Amino acid sequence: MSGSREKIAISVDDMPIDVDGAGDTVDSVLGMRLDASRRQDIDSRTGVLIGFMSELLTADLGANDDDEVMALYRACYHLLDLKRRPTQETPVYESFQFMRDCAIRARALLALYEVKNGAKAP
């Protein structure tokens, strides 16, 4: 070799999704209570859930073949819209509810991912 590195192209479809990590995060979030949650924890977990949802939405989960799956995609993209996400000015209870909505949608995406790919999901 002449000192150059060979570039390896990896498609998004070939990248593994951390199903266990996503499932653990979803379970953790759905077990949280508003009166026992700090804003920092809510914001942090919401960011992780958004990452998992974004990642799962890149997988082929059959949205083109199933109206219910397409409706789930629309609900997820609604949550992912930057204009709809909580800000620091958003009351804690609204941020908490947003986080739970993300967890519920992420759980549904994980279940579809498991059916489609045979991976372990909640």
Side-chain angles (χ1 to χ4, degrees):
M1 292 180 105
S2 60
S4 66
R5 291 184 177 188
E6 182 180 332
K7 292 185 180 182
I8 300 173
I10 298 176
S11 96
V12 173
D13 293 334
D14 295 335
M15 296 175 66
I17 293 176
D18 182 6
V19 174
D20 290 332
D24 290 347
T25 300
V26 167
D27 291 343
S28 172
V29 165
L30 294 177
M32 291 173 68
R33 292 184 3 219
L34 176 59
D35 63 345
S37 300
R38 295 179 314 153
R39 177 62 182 256
Q40 180 181 359
D41 294 332
I42 293 168
D43 293 345
S44 174
R45 287 192 172 104
T46 299
V48 172
L49 288 168
I50 286 172
F52 284 131
M53 282 188 351
S54 297
E55 193 175 9
L56 286 162
L57 288 168
T58 65
D60 178 12
L61 301 178
N64 294 329
D65 304 323
D66 188 324
D67 291 339
E68 289 181 32
V69 175
M70 183 55 81
L72 175 60
Y73 269 54
R74 281 193 296 274
C76 291
Y77 283 119
H78 178 81
L79 291 171
L80 294 175
D81 183 351
L82 289 173
K83 292 179 267 181
R84 299 184 189 281
R85 291 188 199 174
T87 66
Q88 288 302 317
E89 291 77 36
T90 305
V92 174
Y93 65 89
E94 287 181 27
S95 296
F96 183 83
Q97 186 58 50
F98 181 85
M99 175 189 67
R100 288 188 54 84
D101 290 344
C102 288
I104 291 165
R105 299 311 183 281
R107 176 174 271 170
L109 289 172
L110 282 167
L112 286 172
Y113 186 80
E114 178 183 26
V115 168
K116 185 79 172 174
N117 296 294
K120 180 182 174 249

